[in-house]
């Protein structure tokens, strides 16, 4: 097949299969099944649909559950694929919890979109569970178990571990930087056992990611131990994240006759891009603001300087410690040129001092507690309101504050009760094997008999 350059051409007819192309333009077009199975395109680019479909808000059932909204929303993305017939079952299996839009006492006409009611108390449960439900249904020629490698700064590893736990013929190996995730995150990561193993790496998140990339690119290793990945660039994680934005925005639009604006805590841009794509589909999403921590690659780009990826710095919102957002190529693809992109999205940076101050202030004034990532978005809303903005905003809450108790509790001055699922996970015993920050060490570990 000849390589296809992605374009933002005319939306395809609803029932015509969408082909998936690489953002780099040097990979053959793929079906959605193939794109989900592969994760990254063979040219190193990210899979994007050849064009985003247009959807009519009126076709969505006002009484639909989140899972049913997801199944309606994703139909055109799966049209013509063997997974299309399974889509309602995949959505029902993955989206077993709600993502409520709760009114905020601090500000009129504003709400919090709570994405932390899944099994590991962070929004990553949505994408991880959908990806697992897809991979479990995709036929594989190889009878040996497939090993999913995940490098994590905390939340992804737990969500992927929970989503694949006990699934036959699939196993997960989680790599996390030892000492650099919250104590509760570390416990979660090591609490699974069975087909989900955690490795605590004597290094940083970037080392974990480098080790995973080296393993995935090692043909000899792959021949012995079939490997795949579950990182945030997988379409199997990105597409289902559109569901909660569509569900919330459609509900708001029916009740208020107006689009809802969103402030999205942002690291690798997976969550925020899902929100922007929902707007591109023609659903009632208004303005989208990216809330970043002190890692200011995106805010600087949107303020007009050249895109300059860099090393990440450590912050209180550790899941957003990203200096080179992996979905930036997809963000670029979504808009015709830089000027259009800059006009369509805005971004701001919130440092640790402002995160601390926001957490303390809302706890004392309104008895509200957020996680440090959510606090970056709340700080953006506080600033907008101080500047006289009266539009309806939804602050996106990406994790439950109890996951970051060691940061949050001293600032809010009282214990934060953990959700039942988190309590159950913390009550299990946990263990993680130590590993040096060296790709060879990971290869040895994966090759050991009984681990393949
Ligand atoms: C992963 C994560 C983020 C960042 O999401 P991206 O999709 O990488 O932008 C924000 N908050 C929490 C709690 C997370 O786990």
């Amino acid at each position: 097949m000849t390589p296809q350059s992605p374009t933002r051409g005319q939306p395809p007819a609803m029932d015509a299969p969408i082909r998936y192309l690489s953002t780099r333009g040097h990979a053959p077009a793929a079906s959605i099944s193939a794109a989900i199975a592969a994760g990254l395109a063979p040219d190193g680019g990210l899979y994007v649909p050849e064009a985003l479909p247009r959807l009519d808000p009126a076709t969505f059932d006002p009484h639909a559950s989140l899972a049913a909204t997801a199944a309606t929303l994703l139909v055109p993305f799966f049209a013509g694929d063997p997974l299309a017939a399974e889509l309602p079952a995949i959505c029902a299996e993955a989206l077993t919890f709600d993502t409520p839009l709760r009114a905020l006492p601090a500000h009129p006409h504003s709400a919090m979109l709570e994405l932390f009611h899944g099994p590991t108390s962070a929004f990553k449960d949505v994408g991880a569970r959908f990806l697992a439900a897809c991979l479990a249904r995709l036929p594989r020629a190889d009878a040996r178990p497939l090993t999913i490698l995940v490098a994590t700064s905390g939340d992804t590893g737990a969500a992927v571990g929970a989503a694949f736990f006990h699934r036959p013929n699939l196993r997960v190996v989680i790599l996390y930087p030892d000492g650099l995730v919250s104590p509760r995150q570390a416990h979660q990561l090591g609490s699974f056992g069975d087909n989900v193993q955690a490795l605590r790496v004597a290094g940083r998140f970037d080392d974990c990611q480098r080790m995973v990339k080296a393993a995935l690119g090692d043909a000899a290793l792959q021949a012995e131990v079939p490997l795949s990945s579950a990182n945030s660039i997988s379409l199997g994680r990105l597409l289902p994240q559109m569901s909660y934005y569509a569900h919330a925005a459609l509900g708001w639009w029916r009740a208020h006759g107006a689009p809802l604006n969103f402030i999205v805590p942002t690291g690798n841009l997976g969550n925020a891009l899902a929100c922007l794509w929902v707007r591109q589909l023609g659903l009632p999403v208004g303005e989208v603001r990216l809330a970043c921590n002190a890692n200011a690659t995106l805010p600087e780009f949107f303020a007009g300087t050249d895109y300059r990826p860099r090393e990440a710095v450590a912050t209180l919102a550790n899941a957003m410690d990203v200096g080179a957002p992996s979905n930036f190529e997809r963000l670029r693809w979504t808009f015709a040129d830089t000027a259009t992109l800059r006009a369509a999205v805005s971004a701001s940076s919130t440092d640790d001092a402002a995160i601390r101050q926001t957490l303390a202030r809302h706890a004392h004034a309104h008895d509200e507690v957020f996680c440090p990532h959510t606090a970056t978005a709340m700080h953006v809303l506080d600033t907008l309101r101080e500047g006289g903005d009266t539009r309806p905003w939804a602050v996106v809450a990406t994790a439950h504050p109890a996951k970051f108790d060691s940061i949050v509790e001293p600032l809010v001055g009282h214990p934060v009760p953990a959700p039942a699922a988190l309590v159950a996970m913390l009550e299990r015993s946990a263990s993680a094997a130590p590993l040096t920050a060296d790709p060879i060490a990971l290869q040895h570990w994966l090759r050991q008999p009984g681990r393949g």
Side-chain angles (χ1 to χ4, degrees), residues 196-363:
V196 179
Q197 286 141 330
L199 300 174
R200 50 188 174 88
V201 174
R204 302 189 313 160
F205 171 65
D206 292 343
D207 296 308
C208 300
Q209 209 156 25
R210 187 169 49 87
M211 292 160 75
V212 166
K213 273 194 187 143
L216 291 170
D218 183 332
L221 178 66
Q222 284 260 21
E224 285 174 60
V225 186
L227 299 173
S228 184
S229 73
N231 58 14
S232 74
I233 51 91
S234 170
L235 276 179
R237 286 181 52 188
L238 181 62
L239 295 179
Q241 288 173 183
M242 294 192 296
S243 318
Y244 41 78
Y245 291 111
H247 200 243
L250 287 164
W252 185 273
W253 175 71
R254 286 184 203 111
H256 303 273
L260 183 57
N261 308 296
F262 289 90
I263 307 170
V264 189
T266 299
N268 271 318
L269 269 167
N271 200 6
L273 190 65
C275 184
L276 288 164
W277 278 14
V278 167
R279 188 172 71 186
Q280 299 295 109
L281 300 180
L283 301 187
V285 168
E287 194 175 319
V288 178
R289 294 249 171 160
L290 314 181
C292 299
N293 59 24
N295 290 281
T297 304
L298 291 168
E300 287 175 19
F301 168 77
F302 282 102
T305 59
D306 284 346
Y307 180 65
R308 196 169 59 82
R310 64 199 73 165
E311 293 266 301
V313 299
T315 74
L316 293 175
N318 68 350
M320 292 155 50
D321 290 348
V322 176
S326 55
N327 276 295
F328 190 74
E329 281 184 47
R330 279 202 181 104
L331 183 69
R332 275 232 144 109
W333 167 85
T334 304
F335 299 93
D337 51 42
T338 303
T340 314
L341 168 56
R342 287 206 177 110
V345 192
S346 57
S348 50
S349 178
T350 299
D351 65 14
D352 279 358
I355 290 176
R356 284 198 185 89
Q357 184 229 328
T358 303
L359 286 172
R361 200 158 71 82
H362 281 266

Side-chain angles (χ1 to χ4, degrees), residues 122-124 155-156 241 265-272 319-320 371 373 398-399 404:
F123 82 90
K124 304 234 172 43
D155 290 332
T156 297
Q241 288 173 183
T266 299
N268 271 318
L269 269 167
N271 200 6
M320 292 155 50
C371 89
H373 313 81
T398 49
F404 302 90

